[in-house]
Amino acid sequence: MTAKSATAILAVALVIAILTLHRLGAGDVCTGNEAVEGVFVQQMVEHGHLLFPVENGNVPMYKPPLFHWTAAVIDRLAGIRTVTAANLRTPSALYAIAGALLTMIFAFEILGLDAAVLAGLALAASYQYVSQARFGRVDMTLCFFETLALFAFLWWMPRDATTSGPAARFESNLPALYLMAAALGLGVLAKGPVAAILPGVSILIFMVVERRGRQIITMLDPGAIILGAAIASSWYIACYFGGRFAFLNRQLDTENVGRFFGSLGAMAPWYYAKPVLLNSAPLSLLVPIAAVYALLTPLLSSQLSNAARSPTSPEGGGRVAESDAGGVARSPDPNPTSPHGGGRVAEHDAGGVAVRLFAIFYVATVIFFSVAAYKRRSYLLPIWPAAAVMLAWWIVTVPSPAFRRAATWAFAALCAGLVVFNFIYIPRMEVRTCSDDSFRPAAEEIARVVAPADPLYIYGFQEEVAPLLFYLDRDAPIAQGRLGDAPPGFIIVPAQVWKKHQSEALDFEPVLTSDHGNRHLVLLKRGKSYASLGN
């Protein structure tokens, strides 16, 4: 890679860094999904519970801990001891920046500089990619490691589809196979078995379609399998031998099998029709088109080969034009079995091979989650790096040479406009979304009244309480039964609940009423009982 190429790639990475880090903590943590992860990160960073953190004293983790460990490591290195909205979201931003760099480097290797820059711009222009990079959840961690696994497989894969056995093993890149295994294992530690299932199934389908079935045996290297399995199972084994069976039940039953079969709810099979097409419009409208073209690359390659052999082909006997290879002129190997070619697919076809895998991964991901009962839009996030490479390949290879440069500049201009939109709109949207729903002001008021050692409970909440717990930065057990039977101490109740149950809790005294936006809370103190406790 030349200095010019490296500078261009780093410039796009800088754009993505600005998009993801700019005003990262301006919006409060107000959604249950983000706040839950924030509470677990607080347990790790502020209290040292690195293996088995719990929410509110007894609720086990919803996801495996790789995202949370990453946050803890970053905070430790930065000397941070308190979790805020900004440093909760920092791991997602860093994984997004690293994923974009990885995507551009891969695109540069197989398609050239133009495609690398376009792939990076596509990620910067993707509303879903940028918005999820600014959200303190595990999804961007999963996205990075699924992407790394796919790229590592392509780095490992023997380019000659006909080889098998020792010949295929000699031709393949063994370190890349171990990298793929490690990436799959780390993906499982980010979000569970789905991180290995979707890339693994996509790779197997790809190898069958590409008539590489015999190379599957070559891929099953014992050392790589042991490495991937050891990483993937490490935390689960720790849960088992540590007697943390509630964690295992939450992770493997509720969050995986149960979620797939509907224990957490169910959405219609066509739920993803809108997110697939519109989650990052207009780019998301182009991705299915690029995927179709990618799946048709064998036919397109055949047509290009016939054109290259025609009397009207450019001088050089089929040399790929500079713009055909994304800014890098490439010549086909005159001897397909030479040491330089190693019997591999011609270098200029590497892009077509890669995007076929990415198209299969795209389709497999959409189908898998469409079949699953419970669905969330963020489940589609891992397709974006692969989709960005497909879009770049589509722009730099499919249009005729006369229109290719115009298509490249038009796509870059479209992405530039979307980048500006993301830079302005997303931070403002984050602040506006939480402006009326944040528990932060109420929690700050409560903290000025309730000392850290005072008993504090919550009662009557019909929603996830993690956003309140995150800003209280302490446990507040849920009081059950009648309000009048609540234990001595301070109790936080929604104002409407207090109005309804006031008559049954005559010995409770309101000591604080907090009204901020949509949050109307009353802090109660059990006067007589609590006072007698100190005598």
Side-chain angles (χ1 to χ4, degrees):
M1 182 182 295
T2 65
K4 177 182 176 181
S5 300
T7 300
I9 290 174
L10 289 175
V12 178
L14 178 61
V15 170
I16 295 174
I18 293 172
L19 285 171
T20 56
L21 296 172
H22 171 64
R23 301 185 65 199
L24 186 59
D28 286 345
V29 175
C30 64
T31 64
N33 287 332
E34 185 177 36
V36 164
E37 308 302 350
V39 169
F40 292 127
V41 173
Q42 283 176 334
Q43 290 294 309
M44 290 188 179
V45 172
E46 300 176 14
H47 305 286
H49 303 312
L50 294 176
L51 277 180
F52 310 117
V54 293
E55 177 196 2
N56 212 14
N58 61 0
V59 180
M61 297 183 72
Y62 291 82
K63 305 296 180 187
L66 183 58
F67 165 83
H68 315 80
W69 286 344
T70 305
V73 168
I74 293 171
D75 288 355
R76 177 61 61 89
L77 293 176
I80 297 171
R81 296 294 181 265
T82 302
V83 178
T84 65
N87 59 358
L88 169 62
R89 295 163 181 161
T90 296
S92 293
L94 296 182
Y95 275 120
I97 297 166
L101 265 173
L102 179 68
T103 301
M104 286 188 284
I105 292 171
F106 181 84
F108 176 81
E109 290 181 350
I110 64 170
L111 294 167
L113 180 59
D114 284 0
V117 171
L118 291 181
L121 288 175
L123 291 178
S126 166
Y127 179 87
Q128 185 174 40
Y129 193 82
V130 175
S131 62
Q132 290 297 308
R134 300 172 57 87
F135 198 60
R137 286 278 289 172
V138 304
D139 298 287
M140 190 58 74
T141 311
L142 171 71
C143 177
F144 175 83
F145 286 109
E146 284 196 7
T147 301
L148 178 59
L150 292 174
F151 291 170
F153 165 75
L154 290 167
W155 286 327
W156 164 82
M157 185 183 67
R159 296 304 175 94
D160 186 352
T162 64
T163 61
S164 61
R169 183 177 299 275
F170 176 79
E171 187 181 286
S172 64
N173 183 351
L174 188 60
L177 182 63
Y178 278 73
L179 178 61
M180 181 184 78
L184 292 173
L186 290 168
V188 173
L189 283 184
K191 202 173 181 178
V194 69
I197 291 172
L198 284 174
V201 168
S202 301
I203 288 170
L204 290 177
I205 293 173
F206 168 81
M207 295 187 80
V208 171
V209 170
E210 294 287 310
R211 299 179 182 178
R212 295 175 176 268
R214 290 178 296 178
Q215 294 177 352
I216 294 176
I217 302 300
T218 306
M219 187 172 60
L220 299 179
D221 180 86
I225 293 173
I226 292 172
L227 175 64
I231 294 174
S233 63
S234 57
W235 182 72
Y236 298 94
I237 291 175
C239 289
Y240 179 80
F241 285 104
R244 306 290 179 143
F245 300 112
F247 283 76
L248 289 175
N249 180 68
R250 167 63 60 83
Q251 297 291 326
L252 299 177
D253 184 7
T254 306
E255 287 294 314
N256 289 279
V257 177
R259 184 180 294 264
F260 188 87
F261 289 103
S263 65
L264 299 181
M267 293 80 165
W270 52 87
Y271 171 89
Y272 283 113
K274 183 177 179 180
V276 163
L277 297 175
L278 300 179
N279 66 24
S280 299
L283 295 186
S284 50
L285 291 168
L286 301 177
V287 174
I289 301 173
V292 170
Y293 271 92
L295 294 173
L296 295 176
T297 49
L299 177 60
L300 295 174
S301 298
S302 176
Q303 292 174 344
L304 289 173
S305 297
N306 292 335
R309 290 193 295 268
S310 70
T312 59
S313 64
E315 183 179 357
R319 173 181 291 270
V320 180
E322 182 176 349
S323 59
D324 290 2
V328 179
R330 308 179 189 273
S331 299
D333 192 341
N335 180 6
T337 60
S338 67
H340 172 72
R344 299 183 175 192
V345 176
E347 190 176 1
H348 64 267
D349 189 46
V353 172
V355 296
R356 285 198 290 277
L357 171 62
F358 298 156
I360 291 171
F361 176 68
Y362 172 83
V363 174
T365 299
V366 173
I367 292 176
F368 179 87
F369 287 117
S370 295
V371 172
Y374 188 83
K375 303 171 176 65
R376 291 181 61 237
R377 294 187 178 192
S378 60
Y379 293 169
L380 299 178
L381 176 65
I383 67 177
W384 268 105
V389 177
M390 283 196 298
L391 286 172
W393 166 85
W394 184 49
I395 295 297
V396 302
T397 62
V398 172
S400 63
F403 296 100
R404 195 164 296 153
R405 185 55 55 182
T408 298
W409 281 104
F411 185 80
L414 171 63
C415 290
L418 293 172
V419 166
V420 173
F421 173 82
N422 288 342
F423 178 78
I424 296 173
Y425 176 77
I426 292 179
R428 293 186 179 183
M429 179 271 298
E430 293 167 346
V431 173
R432 186 172 63 251
T433 298
C434 284
S435 61
D436 292 329
D437 286 327
S438 177
F439 281 108
R440 180 181 54 80
E444 291 173 350
E445 292 176 345
I446 292 169
R448 288 194 289 267
V449 175
V450 182
D454 289 337
L456 179 65
Y457 304 90
I458 57 178
Y459 179 87
F461 284 81
Q462 301 300 315
E463 60 182 308
E464 171 61 60
V465 296
L468 175 59
L469 296 174
F470 178 79
Y471 282 109
L472 288 173
D473 201 1
R474 59 170 292 173
D475 291 342
I478 299 175
Q480 304 287 352
R482 296 174 65 253
L483 178 59
D485 297 331
F490 290 93
I491 302 179
I492 305 170
V493 300
Q496 60 183 8
V497 173
W498 170 238
K499 183 178 180 180
K500 179 179 179 181
H501 295 279
Q502 185 173 0
S503 61
E504 67 184 54
L506 298 178
D507 56 343
F508 282 87
E509 175 188 358
V511 296
L512 172 68
T513 299
S514 180
D515 293 300
H516 297 279
N518 297 325
R519 301 304 182 186
H520 309 288
L521 303 181
V522 178
L523 178 66
L524 305 175
K525 180 180 179 181
R526 192 162 195 170
K528 294 180 181 179
S529 298
Y530 185 67
S532 65
L533 199 66
N535 294 332

